[in-house]
Amino acid sequence: LTGGDPFDQTEFSLAILKAMKKSGIHTAIETCLLTGRKELESLLPFVDMFLVDLKLHEPSKHREYTGASNELIKENFAWLARNHGSILVRIPIIPGYTDTEDNLRAIGRYVAGIEPKIPIELVNFNPLARDKYVVLGEDYALKRVDSVVSPERMEHLRQLVAETGATVGVESG
């Protein structure tokens, strides 16, 4: 389950996950973990894998760019790492926002400090959402981001994260 965040509709997500598990289907959710512990605990038995988006480690930057604190996200991540075996951390690499060396090192150190075996995947910026916003007549907050990150830069960023002791996976999509 993805698209927005499954925790935005916990009851609906729970119904789908229960039905899938009952049918023997592997389940996964993509989430930023900005949710209450009660909601997280309610889905936990029905999720085989969590894909956790960690965008910005520094609290003031996280609030500035996302409009929300990352304190609960970090608390939930630490709790999830202790209580669930299958987690993949995904860092969206957005030029000018999440791609700073300080940010990536901080996330790498944070994840490695909790559980170094949890893999981290750097996901290159996808500019396709821009057109969706235009069609919907909505303001696109990332309009100043006009390109994806080069393969060479992505490799450099993966190396920075690996240097923190974190396990780094390959880029997706």
Side-chain angles (χ1 to χ4, degrees):
L1 301 178
T2 187
D5 194 299
F7 288 107
D8 289 341
Q9 299 181 52
T10 305
E11 289 181 32
F12 179 68
S13 296
L14 182 59
I16 291 172
L17 292 166
K18 282 182 177 181
M20 293 181 80
K21 290 300 284 181
K22 186 176 179 180
S23 297
I25 299 171
H26 183 272
T27 60
I29 65 171
E30 182 178 12
T31 177
C32 70
L33 290 176
L34 185 60
T35 190
R37 182 68 47 80
K38 178 182 166 191
E39 289 77 14
L40 184 56
E41 288 176 355
S42 72
L43 296 189
L44 189 70
F46 306 101
V47 178
D48 294 313
M49 181 174 202
F50 282 86
L51 289 81
V52 177
D53 289 342
L54 296 179
K55 296 170 186 73
L56 294 155
H57 189 75
E58 209 283 316
S60 65
K61 292 260 188 229
H62 195 278
R63 182 174 294 286
E64 177 184 352
Y65 292 135
T66 70
S69 169
N70 61 359
E71 183 178 334
L72 180 59
I73 292 168
K74 290 177 182 178
E75 289 172 12
N76 282 337
F77 180 79
W79 183 88
L80 187 63
R82 289 190 305 270
N83 292 285
H84 197 277
S86 188
I87 301 170
L88 170 65
V89 169
R90 300 179 58 175
I91 305 173
I93 302 301
I94 305 168
Y97 294 90
T98 64
D99 68 334
T100 69
E101 294 185 4
D102 287 345
N103 182 55
L104 295 171
R105 283 187 179 115
I107 293 173
R109 283 190 303 268
Y110 171 73
V111 173
I114 291 173
E115 176 49 68
K117 292 180 183 174
I118 294 175
I120 298 175
E121 179 179 73
L122 279 61
V123 182
N124 207 336
F125 176 70
N126 183 345
L128 295 176
R130 180 185 346 256
D131 294 338
K132 292 178 184 176
Y133 278 79
V134 170
V135 168
L136 294 171
E138 299 287 331
D139 184 43
Y140 183 61
L142 298 176
K143 58 184 150 218
R144 73 174 201 169
V145 179
D146 57 4
S147 66
V148 297
V149 178
S150 72
E152 297 79 20
R153 174 93 171 129
M154 287 296 289
E155 183 55 34
H156 172 71
L157 298 177
R158 277 194 285 280
Q159 286 297 331
L160 288 176
V161 175
E163 289 169 7
T164 68
T167 301
V168 179
V170 296
E171 173 189 1
S172 73

